[in-house]
Amino acid sequence: MNKIVGLILLSILLVQCGQDKDTMILKNQLGEITKNTSLEDLDKIFKNDSIEKYPVKSDIKREYRVFEADGKPALIFLTEVENDSVKGLKLVKIYSDKYMTEKGISTKSVYKDVADTYSIDEIETSFTAAILFVNELNATILLNKSDLNLDEFDMREIRADQIPDKAKINYISLWFE
């Protein structure tokens, strides 16, 4: 029994040591990025990446998008705007699988991985997705209804037992508080 516990602890340690702290998804934090990270700080952090800020013709940027080399979005930051000024970051939508939680969950994971690793506190239905609420991370995880064998625009409640184990994660929204 002690050997099994030791192996589990060793494997967790190896996963954590192998992961770059800049790509770690934590509660209210992505790497070193928090609610108080400025857009100028994001420019420095992602200076080697392709980025876009929206709206383009405005001084007030509501979205900050970071793209992967293939042109797909890796991260989309949404800002919190009050009285025509940016007050900080509201959330980040994580599409890239290089960003991972301490427990090994990324956009490469499937529903079963999430359910086995975290407590899913609530499941909400949108027109096109099931949204899993994981309070431990202050995050929501979006699963496309097409992966759940459900009709789009069907707004009936989705229960955990209706979600196939292999349902893929579309993206993770990490909320900053």
Side-chain angles (χ1 to χ4, degrees):
M1 184 65 163
N2 288 337
K3 286 182 180 182
I4 293 172
V5 172
L7 285 173
I8 291 171
L9 290 174
L10 180 62
S11 64
I12 290 171
L13 181 63
L14 289 174
V15 167
Q16 288 180 344
C17 290
Q19 186 176 351
D20 184 354
K21 68 177 182 163
D22 293 334
T23 60
M24 182 77 66
I25 301 170
L26 302 166
K27 186 171 186 169
N28 300 317
Q29 188 172 337
L30 178 65
E32 298 299 317
I33 300 168
T34 67
K35 174 187 178 97
N36 298 319
T37 301
S38 70
L39 295 182
E40 292 78 22
D41 291 337
L42 289 180
D43 284 338
K44 292 174 189 169
I45 293 168
F46 298 110
K47 67 182 177 212
N48 296 324
D49 294 295
S50 177
I51 60 169
E52 291 180 348
K53 300 173 194 174
Y54 293 96
V56 175
K57 296 182 180 187
S58 172
D59 291 337
I60 302 168
K61 303 302 180 193
R62 297 185 181 275
E63 283 189 26
Y64 186 103
R65 299 179 185 180
V66 180
F67 294 90
E68 295 182 314
D70 62 4
K72 293 180 182 176
L75 303 168
I76 298 177
F77 292 91
L78 300 178
T79 60
E80 188 171 4
V81 178
E82 288 180 22
N83 301 325
D84 292 335
S85 67
V86 174
K87 295 295 183 190
L89 299 177
K90 182 176 184 177
L91 72 96
V92 58
K93 292 181 180 180
I94 304 164
Y95 293 90
S96 173
D97 62 11
K98 79 176 187 179
Y99 298 92
M100 187 180 298
T101 70
E102 286 181 296
K103 296 180 180 180
I105 299 299
S106 73
T107 56
K108 196 181 259 186
S109 304
V110 294
Y111 171 73
K112 182 173 179 17
D113 300 330
V114 176
D116 288 348
T117 307
Y118 290 100
S119 171
I120 298 172
D121 300 288
E122 184 180 347
I123 300 172
E124 280 191 12
T125 305
S126 76
F127 284 117
T128 60
I131 304 165
L132 312 177
F133 287 76
V134 180
N135 294 342
E136 182 178 340
L137 293 171
N138 198 29
T140 53
I141 298 173
L142 189 124
L143 307 172
N144 287 330
K145 278 189 178 173
S146 59
D147 289 342
L148 309 180
N149 299 320
L150 297 171
D151 292 330
E152 284 193 32
F153 307 111
D154 182 349
M155 294 298 293
R156 285 182 282 182
E157 180 180 323
I158 297 173
R159 296 180 323 272
D161 63 353
Q162 292 177 286
I163 302 174
D165 287 347
K166 298 291 183 190
K168 297 176 188 171
I169 295 174
N170 187 5
Y171 63 85
I172 300 169
S173 289
L174 179 64
W175 297 82
F176 296 112
E177 287 185 351

